[in-house]
Amino acid sequence: MLEQMGIAAKAASYKLALLSSREKNRVLEKIADYLEAQAQEILLANEQDLLEARRNGLSDAMLDRLALNPARLTAIANDVRQVCKLADPVGQVIEGGLLDSGLRIERRRVPLGVIGVIYEARPNVTVDVASLCLKTGNAAILRGGKETWRTNAATVKVIQQALEECGLPAGAVQAIESPDRALVNEMLRMDKYIDMLIPRGGAGLHKLCREQSTIPVITGGIGVCHIVVDDSAEIDPALKIIVNAKTQRPSTCNTVETLLVHQDIAQRFLPALSKQMAESGVTLHADEQALALLQNGPAKVEAVKAEQYDDEFLSLDLNVKIVAGLDDAIDHIRQHGTQHSDAILTRTLRNADRFINEVDSSAVYVNASTRFTDGGQFGLGAEVAVSTQKLHARGPMGLEALTTYKWIGFGDDTIRA
């Protein structure tokens, strides 16, 4: 089954690579329209997935990721329309010039070919990946989690209908609907057909892909994100940022999980934090020093466990640790961070510069919420993933991250001396 999907995807990728921007946008506009016109079928499939997920005891965070409603589906359709408005990178000349040999050389952006994406309970990923791949002339093979297979199947059906009505092969976007995990292992070895693999899920999935895949893998999406509260931070603005970073949507990978508070501001800051977190329904997990300052406050607080510094809560829980200074905070982030998104709240330019230069994450912030690490927020349109590695792509992956390049040489009967 997968071999036939790979053959179809590779054949489709050759056709997609030749499309003009106008032709690609026409497909995307039709997909967006069909998502809204056939919303009832997609939402019904999602209801069935949610019902089964609840029976299987999925966490609230996972249920939130899985759930669709009319507003979310409309937002997904509008994200597709936003991709239409973005500049098409395919064909862009990155650099070029005339060599001494007389050869005119160009480095030009081209599609990667076929993108494979393995993801869990995120039905929006199906549309995000499809729209970005189609915009960049790539075919896609998608393997969503078993929790969302009905939603994915209904969504891909709509996408394939739009493709065929535009005269393009349905094989340009395909989904593996079977929940059989053996198919994942088979997909990881489809290097004959898939040019790049993107896992979007937990640490176990990323580890499996790194160890077993014969396809180049882009890893990321695991977000143990930190906010450092410097001794020069202003308390009220700092609390506003922390509330946003923790509560705006707790189940996302760019949600803050650990707060590192400078010891010189802790006595003033932590009581205010406790009051604000109590109002926001956040449970605090504090180290020994912070616990002493928080235990009489209104927020629910308990002693932090060592392993909690290395895991995503994806819920209304927040680690709090007192640090001796910026060196201590940076050391903690280097030891426990996942190179996703980290922020410092400070009014000291020197400390801001140090944080930017010394924290090796794909996104770093000064006096801003970590929740901005997102393709839409960065002006990239819908994102295919957030990469925390360093080769090829890093941070939110938009259109350019789904292209590679080729060197083109133009001669006039030119030979090498």
Side-chain angles (χ1 to χ4, degrees), residues 354-366:
R354 278 198 61 200
F355 189 84
I356 291 168
N357 293 328
E358 297 181 35
V359 173
D360 188 21
S361 296
S362 62
V364 292
Y365 297 92
V366 176

Side-chain angles (χ1 to χ4, degrees), residues 59-261:
S59 67
D60 289 343
M62 290 296 285
L63 288 171
D64 180 59
R65 289 185 176 191
L66 170 58
L68 284 179
N69 54 41
R72 282 190 180 181
L73 194 55
T74 297
I76 290 170
N78 286 334
D79 283 342
V80 178
R81 295 186 179 102
Q82 182 63 35
V83 173
C84 292
K85 300 175 183 177
L86 298 174
D88 184 353
V90 175
Q92 174 191 349
V93 176
I94 302 170
E95 59 180 329
L98 186 65
L99 304 179
D100 291 342
S101 63
L103 191 69
R104 184 164 61 85
I105 200 82
E106 284 184 359
R107 189 157 63 98
R108 188 183 297 180
R109 290 197 184 278
V110 296
L112 280 161
V114 179
I115 311 297
V117 183
I118 304 173
Y119 53 104
E120 295 177 350
R122 284 182 178 270
N124 63 295
V125 174
T126 304
V127 181
D128 289 349
V129 170
S131 60
L132 287 172
C133 284
L134 291 173
K135 180 76 176 191
T136 49
N138 294 296
I141 297 178
L142 312 174
R143 202 283 185 178
K146 65 180 184 298
E147 303 88 359
T148 185
W149 73 268
R150 297 178 185 86
T151 309
N152 292 339
T155 305
V156 169
K157 182 180 178 182
V158 169
I159 293 170
Q160 290 180 336
Q161 182 183 346
L163 284 163
E164 290 179 329
E165 289 202 11
C166 292
L168 296 172
V173 178
Q174 301 174 81
I176 301 170
E177 296 178 12
S178 171
D180 187 354
R181 292 187 67 86
L183 294 177
V184 173
N185 291 325
E186 186 178 343
M187 184 180 180
L188 296 181
R189 290 169 171 78
M190 290 177 64
D191 53 282
K192 185 177 178 180
Y193 306 108
I194 298 175
D195 297 286
M196 186 172 76
L197 187 69
I198 304 172
R200 292 187 57 163
L205 173 62
H206 287 260
K207 184 173 184 289
L208 174 70
C209 292
R210 284 195 302 269
E211 293 178 352
Q212 302 296 325
S213 177
T214 59
I215 306 164
V217 177
I218 294 285
T219 56
I222 309 299
V224 180
C225 303
H226 301 78
I227 291 180
V228 176
V229 182
D230 190 16
D231 58 341
S232 66
E234 296 179 16
I235 291 178
D236 288 343
L239 291 174
K240 183 178 178 181
I241 290 170
I242 293 163
V243 168
N244 179 264
K246 180 73 259 183
T247 70
Q248 201 256 349
R249 195 172 177 191
S251 65
T252 58
C253 60
N254 54 20
T255 294
V256 65
E257 304 291 13
T258 297
L259 201 62
L260 302 172
V261 181

